[in-house]
Amino acid sequence: AWTTTGADSVSIDNGVGAVVVDGSVTVTPAATTTYTLTVTGGGATANSTMTVTVSAPPQATTSTFSGRIDKNSTITRSILIEAAGQIDANLSWRDNRASLNLTARDPNGTVLGAGSGSNPMNVSFATTASGTYSFVIQNTTGRRTDYTL
C-alpha cells in the first residue's frame, strides 16, 4: 500500500500501469520481480521500489519400502516429511491369500489414515507439520508375503 501527497499521477512498472494516488494493488508474478512505483506531481518525480520474491514449491518426494512380512507380524516403516502436504501411501503384496492392514501415524502417534484387506491398498492423508511419520504394516493371516509400500 502507498500514500502520496500532491500527486498528479502514480504508476507501477512491469505491466501494472496507472494506479490510484493512494491505495494498493495485488500482483502475482511467476518469478521474483522488482516493481517501481513512480509518483509525479508539482513538477517533481519520486520513485520507490519493492521486490516480490517467488519461491519454488516443495518438490514431491517418493519413497519406496519393500520387504517380506512374516505371518501374524507387524513392521513399522518411518519417513521424515519436511513440509505440510498430501500423502498417498500405496501398499501392495504378492500373495493375495495374505491379508494386510496399513496404518499411518503422525509424529505424535495420532492415526491419520488406515486401510485393510484389499490389494493394492491406498491410504491418503494430509500432513500439517514436518516430522517423522510412521506406516505400520500388519499381516493378520498365517501367510508370509512380499510387500511394497
Side-chain angles (χ1 to χ4, degrees):
W2 61 89
T3 303
T4 64
T5 302
D8 294 325
S9 67
V10 178
S11 65
I12 301 175
D13 67 353
N14 283 319
V16 177
V19 294
V20 296
V21 295
D22 295 316
S24 64
V25 67
T26 300
V27 295
T28 53
T32 298
T33 304
T34 299
Y35 294 90
T36 301
L37 176 85
T38 302
V39 178
T40 58
T45 299
N47 295 311
S48 179
T49 61
M50 172 176 273
T51 299
V52 176
T53 302
V54 176
S55 300
Q59 297 297 314
T61 301
T62 302
S63 296
T64 301
F65 301 103
S66 296
R68 179 170 289 160
I69 185 166
D70 288 327
K71 58 186 181 179
N72 300 312
S73 63
T74 300
I75 294 174
T76 300
R77 299 291 186 217
S78 299
I79 184 170
L80 175 62
I81 296 174
E82 296 182 355
Q86 182 67 28
I87 302 297
D88 292 308
N90 298 294
L91 175 66
S92 61
W93 55 96
R94 185 174 298 202
D95 188 341
N96 282 326
R97 295 171 293 178
S99 180
L100 301 186
N101 299 330
L102 175 63
T103 305
R105 297 182 183 273
D106 72 7
N108 298 317
T110 303
V111 173
L112 299 173
S116 63
S118 63
N119 183 14
M121 174 189 320
N122 177 271
V123 174
S124 296
F125 58 92
T127 63
T128 57
S130 62
T132 301
Y133 288 73
S134 62
F135 300 91
V136 180
I137 305 167
Q138 182 181 28
N139 186 344
T140 60
T141 63
R143 306 202 66 81
R144 179 171 64 174
T145 188
D146 295 328
Y147 71 90
T148 301
L149 172 64

